[in-house]
Amino acid sequence: MAKRGKLPKPKDASEAFENIEQPTLKWRTIAIIVVAFVVLWVTAFMIQGYDEDGVFGWVVIGVVGALTVAAIGFGIYVWRLTRKSRGIVDILSQATDEEGRKRALAQLEQGDSSDALNALARAQLVARERPADAMKILEDIDLGKAPAVVQDDVRANLGFLYLMNGRAKDARKLADDLRLDRQPNAKAKAMYAAVAAEAFARTGKADEAAKLIETYPADDPEYGEVGAMLLRAQVYTHLASKKRGLAQQSMRALAKADANMLAPFLGKGVRPELQQMAKKALKSVGLAPKQKMQVQRRF
């Protein structure tokens, strides 16, 4: 526990870049799909062999052939997307200090500025110091041209920035379109849930928010640093559900997890009730709420 009157140093966002998970192809899934197509082809040729007229058999072979071509095309698309993601992750992994962030940003700026993955990475790099610039980068992305999963990444990251800057209604518009079911990564899915839950709780959908925080518990070790975002969502959800005691518990847990995440609760324009809860939570862990805290943006 930190000494009374002293706040811990903000957690360095560079740690997140050091530990970025490399995108990989799911070879087991690919193997299952390949086996399935082998079975389809064997079945198609068997049908063709037993078909005396030959017409129906060739129709079946044609259908299987069309499905195979479509599957190959989709596989190439996924492979190219994974390869592009790996390249961007390699660039982001350099951002372990200020100089590294500058180098990574320079490399990304040399790439295709209209590419959604590139823009998302640039926003991550500038969000810590210039959240307004990060929001502008994400707002300029043409979601209609981005892959489905990338669309949700953009919505979640932009939504979180909106929430951190008092724009709950704008975050809600993004949360309404978030699709958790198409995100395979557990931590990313939990991040989506945290953003959606907070946006719902702050815009009149406390019941929907409650379902999300129950499904994605903040203490799940698989979620890592996203747990703090889930705790923040819990605070708003419990308050919206008129469960002040639970909200205070979540605020206290958030103070223990990352005291700097309480900084927005102490700003101007925040409900007095939230301010008091944040101050009480900070005092409970031996910290001084009057001292300046720096907020680390999480993506």
Side-chain angles (χ1 to χ4, degrees):
M1 181 181 294
K3 294 181 179 179
R4 183 168 295 279
K6 291 186 178 181
L7 287 165
K9 292 182 179 180
K11 294 181 179 179
D12 193 344
S14 65
E15 295 179 6
F17 292 128
E18 287 180 330
N19 299 316
I20 294 177
E21 183 178 345
Q22 280 279 359
T24 58
L25 294 172
K26 297 184 180 298
W27 292 108
R28 183 177 180 181
T29 301
I30 292 173
I32 292 173
I33 293 173
V34 169
V35 170
F37 271 97
V38 169
V39 172
L40 281 175
W41 275 109
V42 170
T43 303
F45 280 117
M46 289 177 63
I47 292 174
Q48 199 276 336
Y50 283 106
D51 183 24
E52 296 181 356
D53 296 329
V55 177
F56 179 71
W58 285 112
V59 169
V60 173
I61 289 176
V63 170
V64 174
L67 290 173
T68 302
V69 171
I72 292 173
F74 181 71
I76 293 173
Y77 167 78
V78 171
W79 176 77
R80 292 179 64 183
L81 181 62
T82 302
R83 186 180 178 186
K84 183 189 295 184
S85 299
R86 283 179 178 174
I88 289 178
V89 167
D90 286 340
I91 293 174
L92 287 177
S93 64
Q94 304 173 31
T96 56
D97 54 29
E98 188 59 34
E99 288 302 316
R101 278 190 283 270
K102 289 180 180 179
R103 287 196 304 271
L105 187 58
Q107 289 183 50
L108 290 169
E109 288 175 343
Q110 291 174 3
D112 183 2
S113 60
S114 64
D115 179 72
L117 280 172
N118 180 296
L120 184 59
R122 284 187 286 118
Q124 291 176 354
L125 289 171
V126 304
R128 180 188 177 199
E129 303 295 338
R130 307 192 306 274
D133 290 348
M135 285 188 281
K136 181 65 169 59
I137 291 172
L138 295 175
E139 288 168 345
D140 287 343
I141 294 175
D142 186 350
L143 290 179
K145 296 181 180 179
V149 174
V150 178
Q151 290 177 19
D152 289 326
D153 280 342
V154 172
R155 291 187 182 104
N157 288 298
L158 181 56
F160 182 59
L161 285 171
Y162 281 159
L163 291 169
M164 294 293 283
N165 288 275
R167 297 174 59 179
K169 290 183 179 179
D170 291 327
R172 167 65 185 277
K173 295 175 183 177
L174 296 169
D176 284 337
D177 292 328
L178 268 177
R179 288 275 304 277
L180 277 69
D181 60 300
R182 59 188 179 190
Q183 173 54 257
N185 182 276
K187 185 183 291 187
K189 186 178 292 188
M191 190 265 196
Y192 291 4
V195 172
E198 181 176 337
F200 290 157
R202 294 172 64 177
T203 55
K205 290 184 68 175
D207 290 342
E208 291 298 317
K211 292 177 183 177
L212 286 170
I213 64 171
E214 289 172 4
T215 305
Y216 299 91
D219 58 357
D220 190 323
E222 191 173 14
Y223 300 154
E225 67 276 6
V226 175
M229 295 175 63
L230 288 165
L231 287 171
R232 178 184 158 95
Q234 285 181 16
V235 171
Y236 283 103
T237 301
H238 292 319
L239 267 184
S241 303
K242 303 186 185 304
K243 299 177 181 178
R244 195 179 187 285
L246 291 177
Q248 185 66 67
Q249 288 180 24
S250 296
M251 187 76 83
R252 189 179 301 113
L254 181 56
K256 291 179 180 179
D258 186 356
N260 290 283
M261 285 285 283
L262 271 65
F265 295 111
L266 302 174
K268 294 181 180 179
V270 177
R271 291 166 53 184
E273 185 178 21
L274 276 172
Q275 290 184 339
Q276 291 301 317
M277 289 174 61
K279 291 177 181 179
K280 186 176 180 180
L282 286 170
K283 289 180 180 179
S284 73
V285 294
L287 301 177
K290 290 185 178 180
Q291 283 190 253
K292 183 179 180 180
M293 293 186 287
Q294 181 179 354
V295 180
Q296 295 291 325
R297 310 290 173 183
R298 280 182 171 75
F299 286 84

